[in-house]
């Protein structure tokens, strides 16, 4: 098999433009990661507490009366971002592919149904995000700061649904996993940059302590927005919109081939045929996402994204600084920087392994590793406490190992899988819902955590004081992750997005998916000229094969037998 990821011999053209474009779009993950990571440090900054706190109480270290951010306020400040992202993710699909009824389509043409697209949708997302950053930078009280985080989250939510979609629809199939996984790498880089900036400004005794970390986000938005001006729309979106010539030009730019190249035309015809086959099965509304085989894929995507959050990784990056401080760890800011470094470095192996091991194997590997590490941290912290320095160091070490397992598996793989398992006609709708499920759990964890770990009786509301015991919860969820992957995650490595549709149509058990070999050409199915709504994909494939044999005289199939078969179906 070899160690390198190699371009297949039958792959025509260059993958370099598509890879570069996919990696640049992944930069949007920096906005997500930075916005997520910066708030943990800001909440622990002395000046921010003094400026925004509305309550006073005994300091847990000195016993002196001091201002503090209550658990209610902390929950609101942190979780409101996730609330915004939840609604932003759900908005991503209507913003990109609004559905029109048949009367409007007849009157104005089928192109009227789409008015933004993937690229323009990303640009609108950045504008919304920037508005939120403006509000946060200007804030001197919690209400305006919270409003800014909601709008920033709204923009991030739209980005998190659109970026994997854009990447999946532009990247070559043999490197698609690594390209989409780069989105998670950008998220980890954002988290790392947030830790560095927070650490640099934490001791400032002015508004710069929190305004500098917040305002840095303007830079990330400007870089992405300017770059998007020069990027192409995805060819699959243009086919959906009914613009084949523009789709050919887009694919030509991505594959570095002339628009009349036979290989490029063949790929474009297969995309078109697959889309027309999907449309022949009926219209695509949100309700249709919950019907038949599409519901299985939707449930897989939503559960995968929800379980990614239940691994507990964002507990470390949202509340790591505060948690390490309250649990008695020294140098909590430095520990957060270290965990962020581990997160970035560990994502690189994931981009390689997602193509070498495949999606299923990598996700199961990560689930087992996270389960073991989480339980070790929980047991060490519960039995030895934080007064034992060697135990403290061991806990930090296993938290870092846990982050390694997450970053090389569930971090990138969740975005890869959800970006490639849905048919074109419902891809935007389904991705908006799977991403929203990620943010819904993200919000729940962000909101509940202060109540789970708060241990200072003088600073109400009083939590349940789980401290290190909370890792028992995350570890148990990781065990559930393993079972989920074995039962529901299909192996999609090396398949085109159109072949993934064939995989789900033909293979009923996920654990058998690695043996699947694609055989269907949607161009042949399209050429059968029969009502595909009345037959399965396998039956349609058989019909296409019989027609080919009849045309070539290969196996003696008579025309009257073929007509009889069509009538029965």
């Amino acid at each position: 098999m070899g160690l390198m990821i190699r371009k297949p011999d039958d792959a025509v053209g260059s993958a370099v433009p598509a890879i570069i474009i996919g990696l640049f779009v992944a930069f949007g993950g920096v906005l997500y990661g930075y916005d997520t990571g910066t708030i943990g440090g800001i909440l622990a900054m002395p000046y921010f507490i003094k400026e925004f706190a509305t309550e006073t109480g005994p300091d847990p270290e000195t016993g002196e009366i001091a201002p503090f951010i209550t658990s209610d306020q902390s929950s609101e400040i942190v979780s409101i971002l996730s609330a915004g992202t939840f609604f932003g993710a759900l908005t991503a699909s209507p913003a990109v592919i609004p559905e029109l009824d048949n009367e409007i389509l007849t009157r104005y043409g089928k192109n009227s149904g789409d008015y933004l697209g993937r690229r323009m949708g990303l640009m609108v997302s950045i504008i919304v995000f920037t508005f939120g950053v403006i509000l946060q930078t200007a804030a001197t009280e919690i209400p305006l700061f919270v409003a800014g985080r909601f709008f920033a989250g709204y923009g991030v939510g739209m980005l998190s649904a659109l970026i994997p979609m854009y990447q999946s629809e532009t990247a070559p199939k043999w490197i698609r996993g690594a390209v989409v996984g780069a989105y998670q790498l950008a998220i980890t880089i954002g988290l790392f940059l947030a830790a560095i900036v927070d650490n640099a400004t934490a001791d400032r005794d002015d508004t710069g302590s929190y305004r500098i970390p917040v305002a840095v986000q303007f830079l990330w938005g400007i870089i992405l927005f300017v770059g998007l001006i020069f990027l192409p729309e995805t060819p699959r979106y243009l086919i959906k919109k009914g613009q084949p010539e523009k789709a050919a030009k887009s694919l030509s730019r991505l594959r570095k081939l002339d628009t009349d190249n036979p290989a490029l035309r063949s790929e474009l015809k297969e995309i078109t045929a697959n889309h027309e086959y999907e449309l022949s099965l009926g219209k695509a509304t949100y309700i249709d996402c919950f019907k038949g085989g599409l519901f299985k894929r939707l449930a897989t995507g939503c559960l995968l994204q929800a379980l990614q959050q239940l691994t507990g990784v964002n507990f470390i990056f949202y509340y790591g600084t505060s948690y390490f401080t309250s649990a008695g760890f020294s140098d909590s800011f430095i520990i957060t920087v270290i965990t962020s470094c581990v997160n970035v470095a560990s994502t690189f192996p994931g981009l390689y392994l997602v193509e070498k091991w495949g999606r299923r194997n990598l996700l199961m590997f990560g689930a087992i590793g996270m389960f073991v590490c989480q339980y070790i941290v929980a047991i060490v912290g519960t039995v030895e406490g934080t007064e034992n320095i060697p135990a403290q160091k061991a806990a930090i070490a296993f938290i870092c190992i846990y982050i390694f397992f997450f970053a090389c598996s569930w971090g990138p793989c969740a975005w890869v899988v959800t970006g490639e398992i849905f048919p074109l006609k419902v891809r935007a709708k389904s991705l908006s819902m799977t991403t929203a499920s990620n943010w819904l759990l993200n919000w729940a964890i962000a909101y509940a955590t202060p109540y789970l770990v708060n241990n200072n009786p003088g600073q109400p509301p009083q939590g349940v004081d789980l401290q290190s015991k909370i890792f028992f919860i995350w570890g148990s969820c990781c065990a559930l992750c393993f079972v989920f992957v074995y039962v529901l995650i299909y192996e999609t490595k090396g398949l085109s997005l159109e072949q993934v549709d064939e995989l789900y149509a033909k293979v009923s058990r996920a654990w058998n998916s690695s043996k699947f070999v694609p055989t269907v050409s949607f161009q042949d199915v399209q050429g059968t000229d029969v009502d595909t709504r009345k037959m399965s994909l396998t039956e349609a494939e058989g019909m296409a094969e019989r027609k080919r044999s009849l045309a070539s005289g290969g196996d003696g199939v008579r025309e009257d037998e073929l007509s009889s078969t069509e009538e029965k179906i």
Side-chain angles (χ1 to χ4, degrees):
M1 184 170 68
L3 295 176
M4 299 298 294
I5 300 174
R6 298 185 183 278
K7 178 181 176 182
D9 294 334
D10 60 348
V12 182
S14 173
V16 173
I19 292 173
I20 292 175
I21 288 171
L23 293 179
F24 176 79
V25 172
F27 183 81
V30 172
L31 279 69
Y32 172 175
Y34 187 92
D35 205 19
T36 298
T38 194
I39 193 61
I42 288 175
L43 287 174
M45 291 177 180
Y47 189 87
F48 180 86
I49 295 172
K50 182 174 66 175
E51 182 79 5
F52 285 81
T54 58
E55 303 287 341
T56 58
D59 186 279
E61 294 182 2
T62 65
E64 297 179 359
I65 300 299
F68 68 94
I69 302 293
T70 68
S71 294
D72 288 337
Q73 292 169 332
S74 179
S75 289
E76 181 183 25
I77 291 170
V78 175
S79 65
I80 196 66
L81 176 84
S82 302
T85 53
F86 173 78
F87 291 107
L90 289 178
T91 304
S93 173
V96 178
I97 52 166
E99 298 294 337
L100 300 182
D101 62 30
N102 290 333
E103 181 179 349
I104 295 176
L105 288 174
T106 301
R107 184 177 301 176
Y108 298 107
K110 62 183 178 180
N111 292 349
S112 300
D114 301 334
Y115 60 84
L116 277 184
R118 280 50 160 159
R119 186 177 69 94
M120 285 298 296
L122 288 168
M123 297 174 77
V124 170
S125 305
I126 296 167
I127 293 172
V128 176
F129 171 81
T130 303
F131 176 67
V133 174
I134 292 172
L135 295 182
Q136 290 179 76
T137 305
T140 56
E141 294 182 345
I142 288 177
L144 184 59
F145 193 80
V146 166
R149 281 184 59 75
F150 176 83
F151 283 105
Y154 200 98
V156 169
M158 293 180 70
L159 285 170
S160 62
L162 294 173
I163 288 173
M165 188 192 313
Y166 186 98
Q167 293 173 308
S168 294
E169 292 186 356
T170 55
K173 64 182 181 180
W174 61 274
I175 197 71
R176 185 179 63 240
V179 171
V180 179
Y183 176 56
Q184 177 65 24
L185 174 63
I187 294 173
T188 66
I189 292 173
L191 289 164
F192 171 70
L193 292 173
I196 294 293
V197 176
D198 280 352
N199 190 52
T201 65
D203 295 328
R204 289 178 64 111
D205 193 30
D206 56 27
T207 58
S209 61
Y210 68 90
R211 279 181 170 155
I212 291 174
V214 171
V216 164
Q217 296 174 99
F218 286 118
L219 177 61
W220 316 141
I222 291 169
I223 291 173
L224 187 58
F225 187 91
V226 172
L228 283 167
I229 294 173
F230 304 99
L231 297 191
E233 182 55 85
T234 75
R236 286 174 171 85
Y237 171 79
L238 293 169
I239 288 295
K240 182 181 179 70
K241 193 176 178 181
Q243 298 181 354
E245 292 307 313
K246 287 186 178 180
K249 291 179 181 178
S250 173
L251 194 60
S252 170
R253 185 173 171 185
L254 292 168
R255 301 291 183 264
K256 214 171 182 179
L257 294 170
D258 293 334
T259 55
D260 57 354
N261 183 279
L264 184 142
R265 283 292 173 182
S266 177
E267 182 177 354
L268 203 62
K269 286 179 180 178
E270 185 67 6
I271 294 171
T272 304
N274 172 257
H275 178 52
E276 292 179 355
Y277 170 78
E278 290 292 338
L279 289 180
S280 74
L281 302 180
K283 62 180 181 178
T285 66
Y286 271 101
I287 297 298
D288 293 310
C289 296
F290 293 87
K291 295 179 179 178
L294 292 180
F295 176 70
K296 180 179 181 179
R297 301 199 218 183
L298 180 64
T300 299
C302 289
L303 288 171
L304 179 64
Q305 290 283 15
L307 286 170
Q308 188 205 49
Q309 290 300 308
L310 288 173
T311 60
V313 68
N314 277 332
F315 167 74
I316 302 296
F317 295 113
Y318 275 146
Y319 292 106
T321 305
S322 301
Y323 166 75
F324 291 131
T325 299
S326 64
F329 290 86
S330 58
D331 297 324
S332 57
F333 269 101
I334 298 300
I335 294 173
T336 303
V337 172
I338 292 172
T339 56
S340 295
C341 287
V342 173
N343 196 25
V344 174
S346 302
T347 305
F348 285 98
L351 303 184
Y352 169 78
L353 293 174
V354 72
E355 297 295 354
K356 297 304 291 185
W357 287 6
R359 284 55 160 162
R360 277 174 59 83
N361 291 336
L362 185 56
L363 286 169
M364 287 191 285
F365 165 77
I368 293 172
M370 289 189 293
F371 166 76
V372 173
C373 292
Q374 298 271 28
Y375 263 74
I376 289 175
V377 173
I379 292 170
V380 170
T382 302
V383 174
E384 297 295 336
T386 57
E387 301 300 324
N388 187 319
I389 299 301
Q392 190 180 106
K393 292 179 179 179
I396 293 172
F398 276 98
I399 286 174
C400 289
I401 296 172
Y402 151 74
I403 292 172
F404 161 78
F405 279 108
F406 173 86
C408 75
S409 59
W410 280 76
C413 237
W415 300 107
V416 172
V417 172
T418 54
E420 61 192 13
I421 64 174
F422 298 111
L424 177 59
K425 70 173 184 176
V426 295
R427 186 168 296 142
K429 293 180 178 65
S430 299
L431 270 174
S432 73
M433 287 186 280
T434 59
T435 307
S437 69
N438 178 295
W439 288 113
L440 181 62
L441 267 294
N442 191 304
W443 169 82
I445 292 169
Y447 185 83
T449 297
Y451 302 102
L452 294 175
V453 299
N454 183 25
N455 63 346
N456 187 356
Q459 297 184 1
Q462 179 63 22
V464 295
D465 193 17
L466 287 179
Q467 294 192 38
S468 294
K469 296 184 187 70
I470 197 171
F471 287 95
F472 281 120
I473 297 176
W474 310 136
S476 299
C477 290
C478 291
L480 180 62
C481 288
F482 180 88
V483 177
F484 164 77
V485 172
Y486 183 80
V487 174
L488 280 177
I489 296 296
Y490 280 65
E491 184 52 70
T492 52
K493 181 186 75 169
L495 300 178
S496 71
L497 297 183
E498 289 67 43
Q499 289 167 344
V500 172
D501 288 341
E502 182 187 351
L503 167 67
Y504 272 91
K506 289 184 173 181
V507 180
S508 59
R509 299 288 185 269
W511 51 87
N512 294 327
S513 60
S514 59
K515 303 174 185 177
F516 169 75
V517 177
T519 58
V520 169
S521 166
F522 284 95
Q523 298 175 62
D524 292 339
V525 171
Q526 185 186 26
T528 58
D529 297 324
V530 296
D531 189 355
T532 54
R533 289 175 295 180
K534 300 179 180 178
M535 64 178 70
S536 68
L537 180 59
T538 303
E539 290 170 334
E541 179 188 14
M543 183 69 70
E545 181 63 33
R546 284 191 289 274
K547 285 209 169 186
R548 273 201 308 269
S549 298
L550 181 63
S552 63
D555 62 357
V557 177
R558 299 195 312 272
E559 187 170 357
D560 58 340
E561 291 178 349
L562 189 61
S563 300
S564 175
T565 302
E566 292 178 358
E567 290 174 3
K568 289 179 182 178
I569 293 174

